[in-house]
Amino acid sequence: MTRVLQAVGRATRALHSVSAYLAVPLMIALVIYDVFLRYVVGDPSVWANEVSAVLLILVVFATLPHVTIQREHLGNDMVYLMLGSRGKRVTAGAGYLCGAIFGGVLAFRSFTAMLDAHRYNEGTQNVDFPYWPFYGVMTVSAALVVVICILQIAFAISGSLIDAESEPKDEG
Amino acid sequence: MDPFFIGVAAIVVMIALIIWGIPIAFSLAIVGIAGNAVLLGPAQAATQLQLIAWETGTNFLLIAIPLFIFMGQLTYHTGLATDLYEVVYKWLGRMPGGVAVTATVSSAGFGAVTGSSVTTIATMGSMVMPEMKRYGYDPRLASGSVASAGALAILIPPSIPMVVYGVWTETSIAQLFIAGIIPGIIMAVLFATYIIARCALTPSMGPRGPSFTWAEKWSSLVKLLPVILIFFAVLGGIYGGIVTPTEASAVGCAAVALVALAMRRLTLENVMKALDQVANISGVLFFVVIGGIFISRFLVLTGLTPGAVDLIIGLDLGTYGVIAMLVLLYLILGTFLETFGLLVLTLPFVMPVFVDLGIDKVWVGIFLVLMIEMALITPPVGLNVFVMHKVAPDIGLLTIFRGSIPFVLITLGAVALFTLLPGLVLWLPAQMN
């Protein structure tokens, strides 16, 4: 279990780093590059906006496992706070069950979309920028969410929840 | 099974899950998956979810969300808010309730470069609360004014909820941003006027601050330049039709980085912290939006959305009656939903009603932001109040909620004003290029 946790923690952090330290700066740079070309050079790029829009997938999906393991998803804890230790575990378990189903459905369909995108060479219109790696990121992220949620359910049943990446913590 | 019944059951289950404490994104997704699976089959449900996730995650307009968050985070980490506060304090600190007035005006100004109420309260609260304690401010007035003023950040552009609303309803985000300026200023003036009047009547609630010489006041204005520069780089470009809001968000990021660099406040550590937060907040927000779009398309399929809209219109309440009813609805929903939950769950029902009544979509956007502002400071789920409590843990939640009541009433008054005089909202966007 510990090895699985450590591996999940490493993958989660790596994906989050791609989102935060690679995709966001690249997106900013591309949008500014396009504005610069349009107003300073007078020759706007035909591809920068397309590529930056696809990069948004990285920003959003590569960080999904991170926010899931960190329990940062928006929610209403009004009732949760009034529950006892067992009630909290049941609530957390139910939440992660929903998360596992959501992640599973998304992972499965993104995987088939990735295969289709690769087979039919789908990509941006104005530059040869393939979509399949981005469907791949969606697949991996959603699959990681499933793993995290299943682990969390197991920990909820056993009385503890993973609070930080790779570190199980007593929740009661 | 009757699709309408499935739609009603889905709404009931979804609200129950959210109240129970299941994350909003998961609640929306699971109900959407189950509902679509019953109506269209499991394969189609999976395809719908994946398509919406891809469409939302590759929407060029939505790039503005992480970029405006980055701009706000960078502004926060580079300490530009402290400069703004010091300038306003020198000019307004001497008034009755001077520190609270300073907090209100500074929050409005800071909102012009952040767009996040949480960041505004965390920043302003940590600066003004020790000062207010030093002067013996009434804890209710002190905490309530800061929590409420923080909400102005989402009305004064740039505003993340406005980007979500604009994309969802296909309303010009540029016009929404510009439309938020006059209501934002009016709200800040109303909040400040209330504080001054309250402290003039009962001086012990908020004593005057120290006085500064005119030379000190004028020389302090130099510190305002960075904020003004960033504000005009973003909104000037949008207002002049030079850049789109998405492009303005990138220009804003560059402007903040350049200003911070010129002031020698741009460090790698600050940038990394800001980027880290951007990824986190974006991840959280986008999945609520994806879930919201997923569920709203499902509800249209069930016929529940058109049914609910027909019901509201059939009540024949007239424009003012419908607006009053919706204000009441938002006050109730705001007790257990936060900003984006409130927005994505109500838009599918509320928007068609406004369209049927012939109300301008830009006006509706501002109205909804005002409703969200109230939800942020009303119990028991008032996000701003919780942030305020974190900043000042010695002040109880109940005290902060009670301190926010006058500001909720002022917001209601402002909604009435903007309803009777919609030109206050719509005049400025009408002048745009």
Side-chain angles (χ1 to χ4, degrees):
Chain A
M1 189 74 105
T2 312
R3 279 187 185 173
V4 177
L5 263 181
Q6 284 171 344
V8 169
R10 276 197 300 273
T12 300
R13 274 192 298 273
L15 274 171
H16 176 70
S17 298
V18 169
S19 168
Y21 310 129
L22 181 71
V24 176
L26 259 176
M27 246 170 34
I28 296 171
L30 281 174
V31 178
I32 289 176
Y33 170 73
D34 189 55
V35 173
F36 176 82
L37 285 185
R38 183 156 19 115
Y39 289 107
V40 181
V41 182
D43 181 21
S45 127
V46 290
W47 57 270
N49 285 355
E50 266 191 315
V51 174
S52 48
V54 178
L55 283 174
L56 185 60
I57 277 283
L58 275 188
V59 176
V60 175
F61 277 88
T63 202
L64 177 62
H66 180 79
V67 295
T68 304
I69 205 166
Q70 295 284 344
R71 290 193 269 166
E72 287 186 10
H73 285 291
L74 288 174
N76 169 17
D77 57 4
M78 195 168 61
V79 173
Y80 182 83
L81 291 174
M82 290 190 281
L83 297 172
S85 174
R86 183 181 289 183
K88 282 181 179 166
R89 289 209 304 272
V90 171
T91 305
Y96 285 116
L97 182 63
C98 294
I101 296 170
F102 163 67
V105 170
L106 199 58
F108 166 72
R109 196 58 191 84
S110 299
F111 179 69
T112 57
M114 179 184 73
L115 296 180
D116 287 344
H118 187 259
R119 186 179 305 142
Y120 300 112
N121 202 21
E122 284 178 27
T124 49
Q125 287 178 359
N126 295 305
V127 66
D128 189 18
F129 198 67
Y131 283 159
W132 69 264
F134 297 90
Y135 283 118
V137 170
M138 284 176 80
T139 308
V140 172
S141 294
L144 263 176
V145 168
V146 176
V147 176
I148 291 165
C149 288
I150 290 171
L151 286 172
Q152 293 279 28
I153 291 167
F155 280 111
I157 291 167
S158 69
S160 57
L161 286 171
I162 309 166
D163 202 22
E165 283 160 350
S166 83
E167 285 297 326
K169 182 184 160 191
D170 183 29
E171 196 262 334
Chain B
M1 200 185 288
D2 180 23
F4 189 84
F5 176 76
I6 295 171
V8 173
I11 287 280
V12 172
V13 172
M14 185 180 66
I15 291 174
L17 287 175
I18 292 171
I19 292 176
W20 185 19
I22 307 299
I24 293 172
F26 293 165
S27 303
L28 297 172
I30 203 75
V31 171
I33 291 168
N36 274 301
V38 172
L39 276 187
L40 307 168
Q44 192 57 30
T47 304
Q48 282 289 327
L49 177 64
Q50 200 277 329
L51 276 176
I52 290 167
W54 179 263
E55 273 173 23
T56 311
T58 55
N59 188 327
F60 181 72
L61 295 175
L62 290 176
I63 290 175
I65 293 179
L67 267 49
F68 277 131
I69 296 170
F70 180 64
M71 185 178 136
Q73 287 294 323
L74 205 54
T75 307
Y76 168 66
H77 287 295
T78 50
L80 290 173
T82 314
D83 296 344
L84 179 67
Y85 172 76
E86 283 174 9
V87 176
V88 179
Y89 189 52
K90 281 187 177 149
W91 285 86
L92 304 178
R94 187 64 187 146
M95 289 179 159
V99 185
V101 173
T102 301
T104 301
V105 175
S106 304
S107 295
F110 192 50
V113 286
T114 62
S116 159
S117 62
V118 170
T119 309
T120 304
I121 295 167
T123 312
M124 285 301 155
S126 54
M127 276 191 287
V128 301
M129 289 315 287
E131 195 77 356
M132 288 205 205
K133 270 182 207 158
R134 195 160 67 89
Y135 281 98
Y137 269 63
D138 177 73
R140 258 195 288 175
L141 178 78
S143 56
S145 62
V146 177
S148 310
L152 293 175
I154 57 166
L155 181 60
I156 294 170
S159 159
I160 310 292
M162 283 185 196
V163 176
V164 174
Y165 171 85
V167 170
W168 195 310
T169 61
E170 294 179 351
T171 307
S172 162
I173 298 168
Q175 289 200 341
L176 283 166
F177 277 7
I178 300 304
I181 295 174
I182 291 178
I185 293 170
I186 290 174
M187 293 287 292
V189 169
L190 288 175
F191 282 3
T193 306
Y194 163 75
I195 295 165
I196 294 166
R198 191 78 189 83
C199 296
L201 288 170
T202 319
S204 61
M205 285 187 84
R208 293 167 186 269
S211 62
F212 294 91
T213 65
W214 281 104
E216 285 173 316
K217 285 179 183 176
W218 287 113
S219 63
S220 71
L221 288 179
V222 179
K223 285 186 172 179
L224 267 188
L225 276 176
V227 173
I228 291 173
L229 192 73
I230 296 162
F231 183 75
F232 279 103
V234 175
L235 285 184
I238 294 174
Y239 187 81
I242 300 166
V243 288
T244 65
T246 307
E247 291 166 345
S249 64
V251 171
C253 291
V256 175
L258 287 173
V259 164
L261 190 67
M263 296 170 83
R264 295 173 184 231
R265 292 181 188 175
L266 191 73
T267 63
L268 187 63
E269 191 192 352
N270 286 339
V271 175
M272 298 289 265
K273 273 186 197 167
L275 287 172
D276 194 56
Q277 281 298 98
V278 172
N280 273 350
I281 300 170
S282 302
V284 169
L285 291 188
F286 271 82
F287 285 94
V288 175
V289 175
I290 289 168
I293 295 173
F294 189 41
I295 202 85
S296 69
R297 288 193 191 170
F298 159 71
L299 291 176
V300 171
L301 278 180
T302 63
L304 185 66
T305 305
V309 172
D310 288 345
L311 180 76
I312 296 170
I313 292 163
L315 293 172
D316 207 18
L317 296 170
T319 305
Y320 295 147
V322 169
I323 291 172
M325 192 185 77
L326 291 175
V327 168
L328 193 65
L329 175 80
Y330 277 105
L331 275 172
I332 295 166
L333 291 177
T335 58
F336 66 93
L337 286 171
E338 54 61 63
T339 310
F340 291 95
L342 199 63
L343 200 59
V344 300
L345 284 182
T346 57
L347 267 181
F349 298 100
V350 166
M351 207 56 221
V353 174
F354 279 119
V355 169
D356 191 83
L357 290 171
I359 299 173
D360 193 291
K361 285 201 281 186
V362 173
W363 187 93
V364 177
I366 301 305
F367 168 80
L368 289 177
V369 170
L370 287 166
M371 293 299 103
I372 291 169
E373 271 192 21
M374 283 201 297
L376 287 170
I377 50 174
T378 45
V381 185
L383 184 64
N384 284 11
V385 173
F386 290 115
V387 177
M388 189 65 233
H389 182 59
K390 267 192 175 175
V391 173
D394 52 323
I395 301 177
L397 281 172
L398 191 64
T399 306
I400 308 172
F401 276 125
R402 287 173 68 186
S404 302
I405 291 171
F407 299 96
V408 172
L409 296 175
I410 291 169
T411 308
L412 284 172
V415 171
L417 180 70
F418 301 141
T419 305
L420 295 171
L421 301 170
L424 290 172
V425 176
L426 299 173
W427 178 77
L428 203 53
Q431 314 305 312
M432 283 171 72
N433 285 329

